[in-house]
Amino acid sequence: MNKRSSISGQLAVVTGAASGIGEAVVNRFADEGARIVLLDKDKEKGAAFAQNLSSRGIDVKFYECNVTQEESVNVTFDSILKNLGSAQILINCAGGFFENPSFENVEESHWEEVLELNLKSVYLCSRKVVPSMKKSKYGRIVNVSSQTAREGLVETSLPYGAAKAGVLGFTRRLASELAPDGITVNAVAPGVVLSPRVAELHKERLPRLLSEIPMNRAGGAEEIADGIWYLSTPGASYITGVTLDINGGRYMT
Ligand SMILES: NC(=O)c1ccc[n+]([C@@H]2O[C@H](COP(=O)([O-])OP(=O)(O)OC[C@H]3O[C@@H](n4cnc5c(N)ncnc54)[C@H](O)[C@@H]3O)[C@@H](O)[C@H]2O)c1
């Protein structure tokens, strides 16, 4: 394999790894021979997934981690560094929303919960990998944003739209700061992917949502994972601060 497309043997940390896009990223990285750390707050699902991968000879470890909690993130990443060494790749994938109140009905608690899960978590996890990436003058950080950060979609929660747009601002700002250190920071903005959460959330409006996509279908989680994989390779060395839209043509720049 061409070295520039190989992440074989690299240590990759994936948050929200037990389901949906995170799960697909783990499967893609496993195919590429990476060493993978799965982080998820769902202990049962995460541990079962890791066990399944291990039984197929894949080098994985699962850590139960709540990426919105500073202490949980710090303890987890310190343990990864101590036991497995420095991560070359971080995929900030944990996120989402579960309800979509109109603006006047957005409670402060909902605002904070969604911002913490989708934006603060990206800051908390990124700051734990950057010091060792700086030392080795190499790193790849990919943040999972959303199409809702690119255009105003009423189908998604208002604080979610704000948080995912914040992820793009964070990505660009951090990319500039870390560019001299050989660390790239990029984002992907997926359109509709029918993870269990999203299939349930949008079940009534799904036919209309899909009809608005030029390809007339939802994206596969593995199609998002392919984009994330590319941005995680050594070969994506001159790409930083970008947002890769993966949405079947629904939003084009
Ligand atoms: N599915 C879509 O259509 C879509 C579209 C655009 C963006 N996204 C983004 O992609 C990412 C994955 O979404 P999905 O729908 O594929 O996955 P999902 O909702 O099926 O899974 C998310 C995973 O994250 C974990 N998680 C949730 N809160 C956590 C926390 N505090 N700490 C650690 N783990 C936590 C969950 O346990 C779950 O395993 C999210 O950031 C989401 O916002 C999804």
Side-chain angles (χ1 to χ4, degrees):
M1 184 188 285
N2 181 323
K3 269 194 177 160
R4 288 182 62 74
S5 54
S6 174
I7 57 167
S8 179
Q10 292 193 10
L11 187 67
V13 179
V14 182
T15 75
S19 176
I21 295 168
E23 182 182 358
V25 170
V26 171
N27 284 325
R28 183 69 162 93
F29 283 9
D31 290 345
E32 298 293 334
R35 298 154 57 219
I36 315 157
V37 180
L38 284 64
L39 304 191
D40 206 287
K41 69 171 188 183
D42 188 331
K43 187 178 174 187
E44 212 173 301
K45 223 169 154 190
F49 183 29
Q51 174 60 41
N52 182 291
L53 292 163
S54 286
S55 68
R56 290 161 36 208
I58 294 155
D59 188 345
V60 289
K61 289 271 176 312
F62 169 70
Y63 286 80
E64 180 184 5
C65 176
N66 183 340
V67 294
T68 66
Q69 303 296 317
E70 182 179 20
E71 199 191 338
S72 177
V73 170
N74 288 350
V75 167
T76 301
F77 278 85
D78 288 348
S79 171
I80 293 169
L81 188 62
K82 185 164 167 248
N83 297 312
L84 305 171
S86 315
Q88 285 75 48
I89 300 169
L90 170 66
I91 311 301
N92 283 309
C93 190
F97 66 99
F98 297 90
E99 51 177 325
N100 183 16
S102 59
F103 178 51
E104 292 92 329
N105 295 314
V106 172
E107 301 281 347
E108 188 180 0
S109 57
H110 175 61
W111 175 269
E112 283 177 352
E113 192 185 308
V114 175
L115 267 286
E116 283 189 359
L117 175 57
N118 291 280
L119 183 56
K120 183 180 162 194
S121 65
V122 177
Y123 151 69
L124 288 178
C125 294
S126 300
R127 73 176 181 167
K128 292 303 287 181
V129 296
V130 164
S132 63
M133 287 181 174
K134 269 187 167 175
K135 263 191 214 148
S136 59
K137 291 274 172 202
Y138 182 86
R140 298 281 180 264
I141 298 174
V142 183
N143 301 321
V144 179
S145 177
S146 165
Q147 186 184 328
T148 199
R150 310 290 267 168
E151 55 178 339
L153 297 177
V154 288
E155 289 84 5
T156 55
S157 141
L158 189 140
Y160 180 74
K164 291 300 195 185
V167 168
L168 301 188
F170 175 90
T171 299
R172 288 190 286 264
R173 171 63 182 77
L174 190 62
S176 305
E177 185 167 330
L178 299 181
D181 295 297
I183 304 166
T184 65
V185 188
N186 291 295
V188 296
V192 179
V193 174
L194 298 179
S195 63
R197 178 183 59 84
V198 168
E200 175 61 27
L201 195 68
H202 291 315
K203 66 178 179 235
E204 268 145 40
R205 53 183 164 253
L206 201 56
R208 181 180 57 74
L209 279 182
L210 299 186
S211 74
E212 290 167 355
I213 300 169
M215 288 189 188
N216 277 314
R217 64 172 178 86
E222 69 286 355
E223 293 177 302
I224 313 302
D226 283 342
I228 292 173
W229 163 76
Y230 174 64
L231 293 171
S232 305
T233 61
S237 45
Y238 205 52
I239 302 174
T240 199
V242 308
T243 301
L244 180 60
D245 294 295
I246 312 178
N247 56 39
R250 173 71 177 81
Y251 173 84
M252 301 181 193
T253 47

